[in-house]
Amino acid sequence: MFVDEVEIEVSAGDGGRGAMSFRREKFVPRGGPDGGDGGHGGSVYAVASPHVNTLVQYRFHPLHRAERGRHGQGAKRSGATGKDLELDVPIGTLVFAKDLAREGDDAHEDKARRDDAAHERKGGKAHGEEMADEPQRPDTPVRPSADTSDPDWVLVADLTEPGQRTLIAKGGRGGLGNAHFATSTNRAPRKSQPGLPGEVKTVRLHLKLLADVGLVGFPNAGKSTLISRISAARPKIADYPFTTLTPNLGVVTMSGDRSFVVADVPGLIEGAHEGHGLGDRFLKHLERTKVLIHVIDVSGMSAREPEADLDVLRHELSRFNEDLANKPQLVAANKIDALTDESSIAPLEARAKALGLPFFRISAVTGAGLDRLLEAAWPLIRAAREDSVEVSPNLA
């Protein structure tokens, strides 16, 4: 089951409570305070793993909580720090979270007000007076919004490298024991700090596959057959539309130790941006690609005009994302082995030349023309890789 979008809730561990204790030992008068500190709560991290390729494990398990810190004890024994929780996600996952700089502050203030009210009912001082020395949780830094239409969600990280790790929810700080509050004028402090609560966040995980080449075409245009021919991928292949329901990845190996990753996404039809067919939601998996190949059925069995198919595909790409439509593109006239009229290809070839797109005649079944297509795609892939290295912020 392929799942590329989930929403989960993560809770970092609460900090442990500091201990209020005094040393009591024979022959040691006025032993003094010896309350230990509470342990810090565990944090929640997202880690890009090459061993997972879908987010399905989070669809049925949406709640994740890190371990809390243990409470401090006497004899200046500090509580154990809670274990961090690492969530393995596929490479290419984008992590979004609520604007927690605002949400976290509101939750913390509400809790403080409740604690003050409860403490005052017992005849004690307000929280701010009694815990004047208590450390305050720093504000979560506000990152630029990743979705301008929904400013409450911000992009936390884009995990594109194996082992890349990002903090999602920070564990609460452990409270200080009363041993920390001893002074020359207050040698027996009866004050300790409670642990701070860990962050609780609602997180959205969006998977965008990492591929160099994307195959775009109408249903039953031969995209799955093509990827199975040029790589070791074995997608489902049948003679009916919408056989491919989830994206497929394959690694293409060429001579001279050259290789690249190709992605096959479910077929597009006219009006996909309006939800027709399977819609255009799978096109997000092509946003990271460097080159697009339009696979056009020219056998005549579809009863559509091949040049019209090309225009529809380009239109759907532009409606989804203008940047996607501006990527380097190739046109592959597929199923020439089943072609009955050679002249039917001419309008498609003329349309491709008018758009300035390289044109190739191929057969995914027999393998005719595939070498020329792959060799034409390689220079575009190599140029895009070199450009991405030059602008990489990691190479400062």
Side-chain angles (χ1 to χ4, degrees):
M1 183 178 182
F2 183 82
V3 177
D4 56 3
E5 291 185 9
V6 293
E7 185 171 310
I8 62 176
E9 182 177 301
V10 297
S11 301
D14 296 338
R17 181 177 60 249
M20 187 175 69
S21 172
F22 295 91
R23 182 181 180 187
R24 290 178 174 83
E25 186 176 344
K26 189 176 182 180
F27 306 123
V28 183
R30 299 184 181 89
D34 65 352
D37 301 337
H40 302 311
S43 299
V44 182
Y45 294 86
V47 182
S49 171
H51 304 297
V52 294
N53 53 18
T54 178
L55 298 171
V56 65
Q57 67 269 32
Y58 300 112
R59 167 165 289 184
F60 304 106
H61 299 87
L63 303 178
H64 301 270
R65 184 178 181 84
E67 190 177 82
R68 66 160 299 141
R70 302 302 178 184
H71 300 311
Q73 302 179 41
K76 296 184 179 180
R77 289 175 294 178
S78 297
T81 298
K83 292 182 179 179
D84 293 334
L85 176 63
E86 293 189 344
L87 305 178
D88 289 336
V89 297
I91 299 173
T93 299
L94 290 91
V95 182
F96 296 89
K98 285 286 190 181
D99 189 351
L100 294 166
R102 181 171 62 247
E103 180 181 323
D105 289 344
D106 292 343
H108 187 57
E109 291 173 2
D110 290 343
K111 184 178 185 303
R113 283 194 293 269
R114 291 194 300 270
D115 291 345
D116 288 346
H119 196 65
E120 288 173 354
R121 283 195 298 271
K122 296 178 181 179
K125 295 182 180 180
H127 177 83
E129 298 174 4
E130 182 180 355
M131 300 298 178
D133 298 327
E134 181 178 342
Q136 298 297 315
R137 179 190 304 170
D139 291 341
T140 303
V142 180
R143 299 174 178 85
S145 176
D147 184 1
T148 55
S149 63
D150 191 354
D152 288 338
W153 292 94
V154 295
L155 178 62
V156 176
D158 186 0
L159 305 177
T160 59
E161 299 293 336
Q164 190 175 349
R165 190 168 181 256
T166 186
L167 176 66
I168 302 179
K170 184 175 179 59
R173 180 176 177 178
L176 299 178
N178 68 332
H180 280 274
F181 299 99
T183 66
S184 60
T185 58
N186 185 9
R187 298 186 179 184
R190 298 180 178 276
K191 178 172 67 173
S192 63
Q193 292 179 343
L196 289 176
E199 294 180 336
V200 179
K201 297 188 179 182
T202 302
V203 177
R204 285 181 182 173
L205 302 177
H206 289 193
L207 172 61
K208 289 185 180 180
L209 297 178
L210 297 177
D212 298 301
V213 175
L215 303 181
V216 185
F218 271 72
N220 214 30
K223 302 184 300 300
S224 296
T225 304
L226 176 58
I227 195 175
S228 68
R229 183 81 186 195
I230 62 179
S231 73
R234 293 295 177 265
K236 182 179 179 181
I237 300 174
D239 59 351
Y240 55 84
F242 297 111
T243 306
T244 301
L245 298 177
T246 60
N248 297 298
L249 290 179
V251 179
V252 179
T253 302
M254 302 174 63
S255 61
D257 198 24
R258 297 174 297 170
S259 65
F260 60 88
V261 179
V262 61
D264 165 33
V265 298
L268 292 176
I269 64 173
E270 188 171 6
H273 66 279
E274 298 175 346
H276 297 178
L278 294 179
D280 60 2
R281 61 183 297 264
F282 290 109
L283 285 181
K284 68 179 181 181
H285 295 292
L286 300 180
E287 290 183 325
R288 300 184 192 271
T289 59
K290 301 171 178 63
V291 180
L292 298 178
I293 298 179
H294 295 281
V295 182
I296 309 295
D297 181 0
V298 295
S299 65
M301 300 178 62
S302 65
R304 298 188 305 270
E305 298 296 333
E307 64 275 13
D309 284 0
L310 177 60
D311 290 336
V312 169
L313 293 175
R314 287 173 53 83
H315 175 70
E316 294 298 330
L317 292 177
S318 63
R319 291 299 299 267
F320 179 78
N321 188 333
E322 194 64 36
D323 293 336
L324 191 60
N326 292 331
K327 289 181 179 290
Q329 301 174 34
L330 306 175
V331 178
N334 191 26
K335 301 186 181 181
I336 59 173
D337 56 298
L339 189 62
T340 57
D341 184 7
E342 288 285 342
S343 62
S344 61
I345 302 183
L348 175 62
E349 185 173 8
R351 181 59 179 157
K353 289 183 177 179
L355 295 171
L357 304 179
F359 179 82
F360 301 90
R361 302 185 182 201
I362 67 168
S363 172
V365 173
T366 65
L370 295 186
D371 289 340
R372 292 183 59 247
L373 176 64
L374 298 180
E375 290 293 343
W378 175 252
L380 301 175
I381 298 171
R382 183 178 57 191
R385 287 178 177 176
E386 292 173 353
D387 291 342
S388 63
V389 169
E390 289 177 1
V391 301
S392 175
N394 298 325
L395 301 178

